[in-house]
Amino acid sequence: MKRELITALSLTATVLVVAYISTLGGGLGPLFSDTRPLAKVFLSTTLDPNKPMFTAMSPEGVTAIVWDYRGLDTLFETAVFYLAIIGAVAVYRDVSEKVVLKGGGVGLSKIVKLVTKLLIPMNIAIAISIALHGHLTPGGGFQAGAAMAVVPMILIVVFSRYFLLEVKISKGLALALRSIGLIGIAFTVFLPIIIALISGVNSYIMQNQVKFGAPFSFPAFFGDSLISGSLILYNLFELLAVTFGFSILFLLLSIEESLVKEQMGGEGSEH
Amino acid sequence: MEVTYLLLALAMLFALIATYLAIVEKHLVKAVVFSAIQSIAFTLALYLLRAPDIVLVYLPITVGIYPAAILFLIKKTEEVEQP
Amino acid sequence: MSTDLDLFLANVSLISLLAIIGISLYGILARPNIIKKIIALTIFTDAANLLAILVGFRRPPSAPPVLLNLQPSPSEIAEFSSTAVDPLPQALVLTAVVIGMAVNMLIIFIALQLYRLYGTLDVRKVRRLRG
């Protein structure tokens, strides 16, 4: 351990020396005082009611790029997410999660359980508020999903896996809710086309606000409050998809290994 | 001198040491803990780089979900790296 | 003088980031244990993401790419676009973190299946076993 610390400190010293030498030679560090022209375009149109053809009607630059300007990127990233989770589920394809309740799981001590009971509702409320305010303040569907995915993990660790089965959160339910999220995203993608076909105007896939030659637009305001058109829908559905995607993985990962081996049986020797 | 750059340099040096210890550590549970420490230093760096969105998504993923998954894996397999 | 010190500190952070990338590449390539390889891989991903964010940074005083006023006037928008950092790398990294985590979970499941079939996570022994 001591030898490793000495090596780490000498590594730090090397970094400092190299940085000093490169500073003498003019430096290579990031000291840009300006951004690229593309960033200027994004920043100046993200919320500008005077330019209705270009704006995304969201004061949050990152969410506007994720779900409006570069929405198709995010759509296919979501497809990669779907395939990665399906691949992980395929590893456990023959394992049913019926767990024999051997006296029920015990979990951690009473104090930890009480504190967790108090903290879990706060965690859920924070995650939902991150999703619902994702188009106004830093946040959005991915962030809320990551914050929410901590909840099943804590429940499994603190209350044991049997607790989740008692409150009827199974793999099938998580898969169904995740599918609802993904179908919701796909529906919001094609909604402009459907409405435009019905009413006889032009529109693009994943269109949010009015574009040139395509007069379709999601409503930017609901009453007095800014909802930024389709961004709030995408954020909510992505919250569902990410949360329950990670929940499936934790439900599978926490199945006891002896049960898995029992159910896979002689299959292992064939490979 | 700009405080942002000072704190950024300190966070990155801290992350460098944590990364080195995580890679050379033989005991895998300790390696996961060092990796989580490196993630915390990176979170501070992201906050200083004016990226609050990334902080919100990075903190639960790399300090919460990912060490838990690796710990599940270690519990089911082996704890010590063979030399 | 103060710019020189700033430049030195920025260089320190950039070069330690490059050193982190080098160390984690060593971990991916040279360590025999698969769990250690996964840990090194996540550190490598994080360092690459941080490098992307660092490219989009601009010298302080700068602000996050979030407009605080919901009814902005044109002068406020001009000031916002002249102080905020680049939002595009942040948007790309945002999805990359979550998707990278899902792909890492897939790798974890495959490592678990490997252990079930071979009884070891050491790549040298797995290579010798030949199925």
Side-chain angles (χ1 to χ4, degrees):
Chain A
M1 192 67 207
K2 201 174 178 190
R3 199 172 63 94
E4 276 132 28
L5 268 180
I6 291 170
T7 322
L9 288 179
S10 57
L11 203 61
T12 314
T14 316
V15 166
L16 288 175
V17 169
V18 173
Y20 183 66
I21 293 170
S22 62
T23 311
L24 288 183
L28 40 82
L31 275 181
F32 314 117
S33 53
D34 209 353
T35 47
R36 273 166 294 280
L38 182 61
K40 288 257 191 300
V41 173
F42 286 141
L43 289 171
S44 59
T45 58
T46 179
L47 174 60
D48 192 351
N50 302 321
K51 293 185 205 159
M53 291 282 179
F54 300 101
T55 181
M57 288 309 281
S58 163
E60 225 269 88
V62 179
T63 306
I65 290 176
V66 163
W67 286 117
D68 189 338
Y69 293 106
R70 307 196 59 122
L72 283 176
D73 276 14
T74 316
L75 191 64
F76 288 110
E77 293 261 24
T78 308
V80 174
F81 181 74
Y82 167 79
L83 288 174
I85 287 173
I86 286 296
V89 172
V91 173
Y92 272 81
R93 59 193 177 282
D94 286 336
V95 182
S96 84
E97 54 162 352
K98 59 161 179 58
V99 187
V100 208
L101 279 167
K102 306 173 208 161
V106 273
L108 298 181
S109 74
K110 217 166 213 176
I111 301 169
V112 182
K113 282 185 180 173
L114 185 64
V115 173
T116 313
K117 268 180 203 163
L118 293 176
L119 287 181
I120 289 292
M122 286 158 72
N123 197 334
I124 293 174
I126 287 171
I128 291 176
S129 80
I130 289 176
L132 285 176
H133 289 164
H135 55 288
L136 300 175
T137 53
F142 286 103
Q143 292 93 326
M148 191 79 120
V150 177
V151 172
M153 185 199 88
I154 291 177
L155 286 180
I156 285 173
V157 171
V158 172
F159 290 97
S160 89
R161 200 170 181 286
Y162 303 96
F163 176 78
L164 281 188
L165 282 185
E166 276 168 25
V167 296
K168 299 276 185 284
I169 298 178
S170 64
K171 188 182 101 185
L173 179 72
L175 268 171
L177 284 169
R178 171 172 161 279
S179 304
I180 288 176
L182 291 170
I183 290 168
I185 291 173
F187 178 69
T188 319
V189 166
F190 288 108
L191 195 58
I193 303 271
I194 297 168
I195 292 178
L197 277 180
I198 290 170
S199 57
V201 293
N202 288 328
S203 73
Y204 298 107
I205 278 187
M206 280 198 100
Q207 186 177 352
N208 182 9
Q209 298 298 314
V210 187
K211 293 285 175 291
F212 184 74
F216 173 80
S217 163
F218 278 100
F221 289 92
F222 182 77
D224 272 345
S225 54
L226 184 65
I227 60 166
S228 304
S230 59
L231 298 187
I232 189 167
L233 292 175
Y234 285 127
N235 279 337
L236 278 175
F237 288 128
E238 188 69 43
L239 164 70
L240 271 181
V242 172
T243 306
F244 290 99
F246 283 127
S247 303
I248 296 167
L249 298 182
F250 273 107
L251 284 170
L252 289 178
L253 206 52
S254 61
I255 296 177
E256 286 166 42
E257 195 67 2
S258 55
L259 274 167
V260 176
K261 282 207 174 118
E262 209 174 275
Q263 296 197 20
M264 285 192 168
E267 197 199 353
S269 58
E270 292 167 17
H271 290 278
Chain B
M1 187 181 69
E2 191 68 44
V3 180
T4 303
Y5 284 114
L6 179 65
L7 290 177
L8 186 65
L10 288 178
M12 295 313 296
L13 287 174
F14 194 64
L16 175 66
I17 295 174
T19 306
Y20 176 74
L21 292 176
I23 297 292
V24 298
E25 178 64 57
K26 287 269 186 290
H27 199 275
L28 290 170
V29 177
K30 284 184 195 168
V32 173
V33 172
F34 282 130
S35 163
I37 291 173
Q38 169 263 336
S39 298
I40 291 170
F42 268 27
T43 311
L44 178 61
L46 287 169
Y47 173 74
L48 292 168
L49 291 174
R50 271 74 164 168
D53 292 272
I54 316 294
V55 171
L56 279 176
V57 73
Y58 188 83
L59 196 63
I61 291 261
T62 56
V63 184
I65 296 174
Y66 156 72
I70 292 278
L71 287 175
F72 269 119
L73 180 62
I74 290 173
K75 187 189 154 208
K76 289 176 175 224
T77 57
E78 49 197 33
E79 275 192 354
V80 182
E81 186 183 20
Q82 306 299 328
Chain C
M1 181 58 216
S2 93
T3 314
D4 275 359
L5 194 56
D6 281 356
L7 192 58
F8 171 67
L9 290 171
N11 276 335
V12 169
S13 33
L14 185 68
I15 289 171
S16 30
L17 194 55
L18 295 178
I20 288 172
I21 289 179
I23 294 172
S24 53
L25 270 180
Y26 161 75
I28 295 173
L29 296 175
R31 305 301 290 198
N33 189 293
I34 288 183
I35 297 179
K36 188 55 78 65
K37 277 182 197 287
I38 295 174
I39 292 172
L41 181 67
T42 54
I43 294 176
F44 181 67
T45 320
D46 294 351
N49 287 337
L50 190 56
L51 196 58
I53 301 271
L54 202 60
V55 169
F57 189 55
R58 85 197 300 181
R59 190 195 303 224
S62 53
V66 180
L67 198 52
L68 294 176
N69 193 346
L70 295 186
Q71 309 278 335
S73 61
S75 67
E76 273 175 327
I77 291 174
E79 198 207 335
F80 171 65
S81 70
S82 66
T83 56
V85 299
D86 194 343
L88 184 59
Q90 297 193 15
L92 299 181
V93 167
L94 174 66
T95 52
V97 170
V98 178
I99 309 306
M101 183 63 214
V103 174
N104 279 332
M105 292 292 271
L106 175 60
I107 297 174
I108 287 173
F109 275 72
I110 290 173
L112 190 55
Q113 189 73 1
L114 196 73
Y115 185 78
R116 283 180 199 144
L117 295 179
Y118 292 103
T120 179
L121 279 180
D122 195 322
V123 284
R124 294 166 302 187
K125 290 178 192 160
V126 171
R127 198 167 39 195
R128 217 176 297 139
L129 280 172
R130 297 245 175 239

